[in-house]
Amino acid sequence: MSTNGTIPVSVLQKLGTAIFEANGLPKEDAAYITECLLYADLRGVQSHGINRVSNYTLRLKKKLINPHPSLAVDDVMPALARVDGDDGMGFLVGRKAMQEAIDRASKFGVGMALAYKSSHFGMSAIYLQQAVDAGMAAMVMTNASSAMPIWGGRSPFLGTSPFGLAAPGADVPLILDMATSVAARGKIRRASKRGEQIPEGWALDEQGKPTTDPDAALKGIVLPLGGPKGSGLSMLMEAMAGVASGAAFGGEVGNPYLDLDRPQSTGHLFMAFKPDAFLGADAYRERMNDLVGRAKSSELADGFKEILMPGEIEARLAAERAVAGLVVPPEDVAMLNAEAAAVGLEGLKEFA
């Protein structure tokens, strides 16, 4: 670890894997989950990164997450599958369900899988990238614990559910991963940990008043992106990922930080399709590159130096940080060392 807090990704990967394995996960699964968390950090989404280790281990210790889920698949129709997450780690459920969608899309041109009895699955971009790597376009939806009001309401009802879309084919693949709230709740929780204020317009306190205090925001509600637009998107994800899958819905999904007496019962939706099936691979790729080229050649607005595609800035960050390492805040270093010590490991220095 350098003097500025930079830690090689390989060191964090080894430590995270060892911590999760010591908390009951098979080594292969422990390594994959750690990889997913570091993928978020590499892409600049620290709210879904390595700082979440302590919450996942707590839920494992309390037996709220099944470390050995069976992930049974119900072949509903040739192009449709339903995956029983068996209260496993959401990363494992998500990977399995997206692969089911990809496999069906490979045969039929389109495939969809719904998952239930799952838990927090990290970034949607994880599963979008999985599809893109297989040459598929994709859509990802999930529901989440209530933190945001339905438009016109004042109490928590909807989750700040991430919505994801991806299209491969161009030199720059398009990967959109966005929360339906003004800001992901994980960013507010991270600000609270670091003693920082949050921007105005992110949240309301328990009395329904605007606040920049992250602790007050966590007790209150976060606001939907674009008002009724973010609320509407989250409501539709509640219907498709929650209601249709058989998962909890309508405010019943467990909060991973507060509901420490029951599994989350989260629901997800994964869709994959062959985007080059209609025109052929060469024509599709040429048209995608043309689309991106036209977009990037648009006249720049004041204050902009470059036009970036969805997911492009995150991909650049990931490439840079994979080489340079990750700057891990002191509080996260302390957390990782504490989690290591709790299972008889020496912490970061053991794997440096």
Side-chain angles (χ1 to χ4, degrees):
M1 181 170 171
S2 69
T3 54
N4 69 350
T6 300
I7 303 174
V9 176
S10 60
V11 171
L12 292 166
Q13 177 69 44
K14 292 174 185 175
L15 177 59
T17 299
I19 290 172
F20 282 128
E21 187 179 10
N23 278 280
L25 288 173
K27 186 171 184 176
E28 181 180 341
D29 292 346
Y32 175 70
I33 292 162
T34 303
E35 182 181 332
C36 289
L37 296 177
L38 291 174
Y39 181 57
D41 283 320
L42 286 167
R43 290 173 66 87
V45 190
Q46 288 89 349
S47 59
H48 288 59
I50 202 75
N51 70 90
R52 285 188 177 248
V53 166
S54 59
N55 178 251
Y56 294 134
T57 57
L58 176 61
R59 296 189 70 82
L60 283 164
K61 289 169 185 172
K62 287 183 172 290
K63 302 188 185 307
L64 303 177
I65 294 177
N66 180 358
H68 301 279
S70 63
L71 304 185
V73 177
D74 179 11
D75 291 309
V76 180
M77 291 182 181
L80 302 179
R82 183 173 181 240
V83 177
D84 181 344
D86 197 22
D87 295 323
M89 290 289 286
F91 301 96
L92 305 177
V93 180
R95 178 179 61 175
K96 175 67 173 178
M98 178 52 91
Q99 192 58 51
E100 291 293 330
I102 291 169
D103 290 347
R104 284 159 173 74
S106 297
K107 294 179 181 178
F108 305 109
V110 63
M112 180 182 289
L114 299 187
Y116 68 110
K117 291 182 70 176
S118 185
S119 58
H120 187 265
F121 75 171
M123 298 189 308
S124 293
I126 295 166
Y127 315 103
L128 296 172
Q129 187 68 57
Q130 181 182 349
V132 166
D133 288 344
M136 299 290 176
M139 180 171 67
V140 175
M141 296 183 181
T142 185
N143 65 359
S145 58
S146 56
M148 187 171 76
I150 189 75
W151 186 247
R154 57 169 293 174
S155 58
F157 178 71
L158 298 169
T160 59
S161 309
F163 174 71
L165 288 170
D171 295 335
V172 179
L174 308 183
I175 297 180
L176 173 68
D177 180 359
M178 53 172 274
T180 49
S181 56
V182 175
R185 204 156 193 243
K187 292 184 178 180
I188 299 175
R189 189 170 290 107
R190 188 161 181 79
S192 173
K193 278 185 176 181
R194 305 184 74 169
E196 299 172 348
Q197 296 292 289
I198 60 173
E200 293 183 6
W202 278 21
L204 305 179
D205 64 16
E206 286 182 289
Q207 286 71 48
K209 297 179 180 178
T211 183
T212 59
D213 179 350
D215 293 323
L218 290 170
K219 294 177 182 177
I221 53 174
V222 297
L223 296 173
L225 176 69
K229 296 179 181 179
S231 172
L233 278 171
S234 185
M235 186 67 178
L236 265 294
M237 284 193 280
E238 196 72 50
M240 290 188 269
V243 173
S245 70
F249 65 94
E252 295 178 344
V253 174
N255 186 303
Y257 289 91
L258 301 179
D259 296 321
L260 299 177
D261 59 349
R262 61 187 175 93
Q264 284 188 267
S265 192
T266 309
H268 317 303
L269 178 152
F270 303 88
M271 186 177 78
F273 74 91
K274 288 175 67 80
D276 57 3
F278 305 91
L279 300 172
D282 292 342
Y284 169 72
R285 181 174 178 79
E286 181 180 349
R287 288 167 63 85
M288 279 297 297
N289 276 321
D290 190 19
L291 170 65
V292 172
R294 291 187 203 180
K296 282 182 164 290
S297 63
S298 297
E299 187 176 356
L300 293 174
D302 289 345
F304 285 82
K305 296 181 179 179
E306 180 186 8
I307 291 173
L308 296 166
M309 295 297 98
E312 188 173 8
I313 190 169
E314 293 88 347
R316 290 182 185 180
L317 275 175
E320 293 169 6
R321 292 174 174 178
V323 176
L326 289 169
V327 177
V328 181
E331 64 270 21
D332 290 343
V333 171
M335 177 274 293
L336 289 171
N337 284 330
E339 288 292 328
V343 291
L345 301 170
E346 293 184 41
L348 284 164
K349 64 180 181 180
E350 182 176 345
F351 299 94

